[in-house]
Amino acid sequence: MRVSLLLAVALLEASAVFATPSVRGTDFLSSRGLVSKRPNHPIGPHRPGKAFPSSPPRTKTCVVKSHRDGTDDSQNILNAIKDCNNGGHVVFSHGEKYIIGTALDLTFLKNIDLGTSLHFVHIPPIYELNIPADIQGTIQFTNDTAYWQAHAFRQVFQNATTFFQLGGSDVNVYGGGTLDGNGQAWYDLYARDIYILRPILFGTIGLHGGRIEDLNMRYSPQWYNFIANSSDVVFSNISISGYSKSKNTAKNTDGIDTYRSDNIVIQDWHVDNGDDCVSFKPNSTNIVVQNMICNGSHGISVGSLGQYLGEVDIVKNIYVYNVSMSNASDGARIKVWPGISSALSGDLQGGGGLGSVFNITYDTMKISNVDYAIEITQCYGQKNLTLCNQFPSNLTISNVTVRNFKGTTSKKYDPLVGYLVCSSPMVCSNINIENINVKSPSGTSLYTCGSIPGIERQVNCTTKSDG
Ligand SMILES: *[C@@H]1O[C@H](CO)[C@@H](O)[C@H](O)[C@H]1NC(C)=O
Ligand SMILES: *[C@@H]1O[C@H](CO)[C@@H](O)[C@H](O)[C@H]1NC(C)=O
Ligand SMILES: *[C@@H]1O[C@H](CO)[C@@H](O)[C@H](O)[C@H]1NC(C)=O
Ligand SMILES: *[C@@H]1O[C@H](CO)[C@@H](O)[C@H](O)[C@H]1NC(C)=O
Ligand SMILES: *[C@@H]1O[C@H](CO)[C@@H](O)[C@H](O)[C@H]1NC(C)=O
Ligand SMILES: *[C@@H]1O[C@H](CO)[C@@H](O)[C@H](O)[C@H]1NC(C)=O
Ligand SMILES: *[C@@H]1O[C@H](CO)[C@@H](O)[C@H](O)[C@H]1NC(C)=O
Ligand SMILES: *[C@@H]1O[C@H](CO)[C@@H](O)[C@H](O)[C@H]1NC(C)=O
Ligand SMILES: *[C@@H]1O[C@H](CO)[C@@H](O)[C@H](O)[C@H]1NC(C)=O
Ligand SMILES: *[C@@H]1O[C@H](CO)[C@@H](O)[C@H](O)[C@H]1NC(C)=O
Ligand SMILES: *[C@@H]1O[C@H](CO)[C@@H](O)[C@H](O)[C@H]1NC(C)=O
Ligand SMILES: *[C@@H]1O[C@H](CO)[C@@H](O)[C@H](O)[C@H]1NC(C)=O
């Protein structure tokens, strides 16, 4: 009797509250414990020098409705976000699938949480509450490659485009749900035409203060994350994976690239991909990356930098701590274009940029089947080293420390385990390689060295350094 009375009350509340397309409840859902609590992942063990702003609790909830027939749910998502902006919590219901077929500009966000629910909360009918917790809410992007090429947000840098752009201030995204980039159509199209623009799955553009946590990202057409023009953002516990099911491999699937961003933490990620696990692009400052498991990647990379003639690229105060790196081309990597224009491939060319790479630390990395444990190059994209040395980079590399690495490289460059080549000793200084216990499969620990002052006192070089 008591139970059915409660149910009746709940139904009454529900039908009143869940009438609009972006089903809204004041705190009907959160007071009943139906929406996910904000995760509480502490930043650690390292933190950048600056503080992170606090985020006040949210006071209303908006549940996004799905059409459930494979048609575009973008308008429902936008409505819920608009309803709950400035103090609310948008919920993507657990077990529900949402389709996004429209480029969403979400750069107006302020004091808002976007999360998935703990339970299925598409009401009515009320009996659908409490379906088993093993079903994940999924947001899938359509594979209409013509639409996205015309409408994805252009992000200036390296012809990057994003499915959506999320920005503003004090925004939290969490809940254990999945973002699915539906990448297969893109992998196959890219194999036929390298000039197509493949969208990045998650665009964090102009976000100041926020946390992106507990998410699964799958099958991105290109990079999984791009954070640009942002500050004070923490990314915790993100799982990345997605392979091509055809013979065309998923290319350029970086885990995250940072650009024009300051005071960022990236921690506790598990990345299975085929390009950089993390990459610091121009003007990435005060960034901590820690407790990462990277598999199949191109390593944790600074750069590439100096790609654009006359532009100034700065990457400084980076701390990379405790990374497990398997089946990768590199562990720690710094790639800078030389002073002369060069072509790495049809869609990737550059050189002649200015700037500096300064105060970068890679501390503690466990490597397994990695081609080069450490790679520093200032001749990126230029295979002719004579030409690279004739036109040294205008982008200096200084105060770089790489320490506490252990493990075994792959057979690829055996007997070499690393490559440390600058374009001139005048533009590279204070490179410190310490306590590296890395061997090739044949038991050697040799490096290719060039133009780095003092390097031959720190590692065993196969070639004599000019410095
Ligand atoms: C970042 O801000 C600059 C300056 O306002 C703007 O030109 C650029 O388009 C923004 N976005 C990116 C990705 O750089
Ligand atoms: C952008 O794409 C065009 C062709 O679509 C290509 O010529 C250019 O090199 C690309 N730019 C960069 C920086 O990759
Ligand atoms: C990380 O996120 C997943 C969901 O994507 C969740 O199941 C898991 O509990 C989270 N881990 C921690 C330590 O919170
Ligand atoms: C596009 O996505 C839909 C839904 O996931 C799928 O059924 C279809 O096969 C995909 N098309 C291509 C060309 O990959
Ligand atoms: C290093 O990272 C791994 C994987 O994320 C984690 O399990 C471990 O606790 C971390 N170790 C330290 C010392 O933080
Ligand atoms: C790890 O990377 C290797 C090489 O890319 C791949 O074969 C393997 O499937 C990956 N493991 C997982 C769990 O994705
Ligand atoms: C990076 O910062 C430098 C120095 O502040 C500035 O000159 C340059 O334009 C910035 N570059 C980008 C891509 O924002
Ligand atoms: C160097 O970077 C570290 C973070 O890795 C930071 O704590 C330190 O203050 C930086 N040093 C300078 C001189 O900026
Ligand atoms: C490399 O560049 C030098 C200097 O310009 C040139 O003499 C040489 O022929 C080039 N080598 C190759 C293989 O192109
Ligand atoms: C960049 O480097 C080249 C070759 O080393 C040099 O000729 C040129 O003057 C430099 N440009 C600037 C703006 O420093
Ligand atoms: C750069 O490294 C050198 C040599 O280790 C050191 O003397 C100098 O203080 C460092 N500069 C900064 C700003 O940390
Ligand atoms: C260089 O090689 C020698 C002889 O094999 C070895 O004793 C030494 O530890 C190596 N140095 C480094 C820094 O690995």
Side-chain angles (χ1 to χ4, degrees):
M1 179 61 204
R2 206 195 142 105
V3 170
S4 57
L5 196 76
L6 267 174
L7 253 176
V9 172
L11 260 169
L12 211 74
E13 270 187 72
S15 52
V17 160
F18 298 95
T20 63
S22 71
V23 190
R24 174 202 283 199
T26 308
D27 53 4
F28 170 75
L29 295 166
S30 44
S31 67
R32 282 156 183 79
L34 292 176
V35 300
S36 318
K37 282 210 187 81
R38 244 189 231 170
N40 180 24
H41 299 305
I43 299 172
H46 295 276
R47 355 177 10 120
K50 299 179 189 173
F52 288 85
S54 63
S55 178
R58 309 308 185 210
T59 54
K60 66 178 179 188
T61 306
C62 305
V63 180
V64 185
K65 256 192 170 175
S66 164
H67 288 105
R68 297 183 166 179
D69 58 5
T71 59
D72 191 2
D73 295 310
S74 301
Q75 195 57 49
N76 289 354
I77 294 172
L78 198 58
N79 289 347
I81 287 175
K82 284 183 173 158
D83 279 357
C84 256
N85 203 19
N86 300 301
H89 180 175
V90 170
V91 173
F92 293 87
S93 184
H94 191 102
E96 195 71 271
K97 182 169 176 179
Y98 300 89
I99 302 293
I100 298 187
T102 307
L104 295 175
D105 187 352
L106 307 176
T107 48
F108 57 87
L109 303 184
K110 190 155 189 264
N111 310 117
I112 187 170
D113 286 16
L114 307 175
T116 49
S117 64
L118 279 180
H119 299 276
F120 192 82
V121 289
H122 183 86
I123 325 172
I126 196 83
Y127 58 79
E128 283 181 347
L129 275 166
N130 295 321
I131 66 161
D134 60 343
I135 307 170
Q136 297 281 326
T138 297
I139 298 174
Q140 187 181 61
F141 293 85
T142 57
N143 52 17
D144 182 344
T145 54
Y147 170 82
W148 289 110
Q149 287 199 79
H151 295 96
F153 296 98
R154 292 177 179 245
Q155 305 296 353
V156 200
F157 180 70
Q158 280 191 347
N159 290 342
T161 66
T162 58
F163 277 130
F164 63 92
Q165 44 188 12
L166 180 140
S169 62
D170 181 22
V171 179
N172 305 305
V173 184
Y174 51 83
T178 298
L179 285 106
D180 177 351
N182 209 357
Q184 191 62 50
W186 294 98
Y187 310 148
D188 293 335
L189 189 60
Y190 184 71
R192 294 201 297 275
D193 179 3
I194 60 166
Y195 295 105
I196 63 158
L197 299 180
R198 295 161 292 159
I200 291 162
L201 184 60
F202 202 109
T204 305
I205 312 293
L207 177 61
H208 303 283
R211 287 180 176 248
I212 320 287
E213 305 171 299
D214 297 358
L215 296 176
N216 301 294
M217 302 188 183
R218 301 287 179 261
Y219 306 105
S220 180
Q222 223 223 132
W223 304 345
Y224 278 85
N225 286 273
F226 183 47
I227 177 166
N229 288 353
S230 297
S231 63
D232 312 330
V233 180
V234 180
F235 292 86
S236 293
N237 187 32
I238 291 181
S239 154
I240 286 178
S241 174
Y243 294 100
S244 171
K245 292 179 177 71
S246 74
K247 64 179 193 311
N248 306 312
T249 49
K251 296 225 171 105
N252 313 109
T253 50
D254 295 15
I256 181 166
D257 285 42
T258 63
Y259 179 65
R260 290 179 160 166
S261 292
D262 181 61
N263 203 37
I264 308 294
V265 174
I266 296 158
Q267 59 180 17
D268 308 315
W269 287 31
H270 190 147
V271 180
D272 284 303
N273 71 340
D275 208 314
D276 295 334
C277 186
V278 178
S279 182
F280 309 104
K281 302 295 190 199
N283 295 13
S284 295
T285 53
N286 302 302
I287 300 184
V288 169
V289 173
Q290 56 196 348
N291 301 350
M292 304 287 283
I293 298 172
C294 304
N295 176 52
S297 79
H298 291 178
I300 310 264
S301 302
V302 172
S304 64
L305 303 178
Q307 183 173 3
Y308 300 111
L309 184 71
E311 277 188 25
V312 180
D313 295 346
I314 310 283
V315 173
K316 68 174 181 184
N317 306 341
I318 308 282
Y319 203 93
V320 179
Y321 175 74
N322 184 29
V323 175
S324 158
M325 183 68 69
S326 325
N327 308 309
S329 69
D330 294 88
R333 186 180 196 192
I334 298 177
K335 38 185 182 177
V336 168
W337 294 78
I340 186 167
S341 196
S342 312
L344 190 64
S345 61
D347 59 341
L348 192 55
Q349 37 196 289
L354 311 159
S356 64
V357 173
F358 172 71
N359 188 25
I360 314 292
T361 303
Y362 287 93
D363 179 359
T364 308
M365 192 179 288
K366 199 166 71 192
I367 68 153
S368 165
N369 194 33
V370 170
D371 299 342
Y372 279 141
I374 310 167
E375 179 175 6
I376 298 177
T377 177
Q378 228 176 9
C379 297
Y380 190 64
Q382 183 51 263
K383 289 196 183 77
N384 187 336
L385 291 190
T386 314
L387 205 54
C388 175
N389 292 336
Q390 261 171 24
F391 299 93
S393 182
N394 290 314
L395 203 147
T396 60
I397 302 180
S398 59
N399 291 52
V400 174
T401 299
V402 181
R403 62 172 172 248
N404 306 330
F405 278 34
K406 63 177 185 195
T408 311
T409 56
S410 74
K411 285 189 295 214
K412 184 161 182 186
Y413 300 116
D414 195 342
L416 299 171
V417 299
Y419 183 92
L420 305 168
V421 174
C422 280
S423 56
S424 155
M426 306 301 291
V427 288
C428 265
S429 60
N430 297 324
I431 314 280
N432 305 297
I433 314 285
E434 301 160 1
N435 189 29
I436 306 296
N437 189 3
V438 169
K439 293 211 175 341
S440 69
S442 68
T444 56
S445 54
L446 293 169
Y447 294 77
T448 300
C449 306
S451 303
I452 298 181
I455 199 66
E456 63 287 335
R457 290 194 298 276
Q458 306 179 41
V459 299
N460 286 318
C461 298
T462 52
T463 49
K464 221 175 156 44
S465 160
D466 298 337

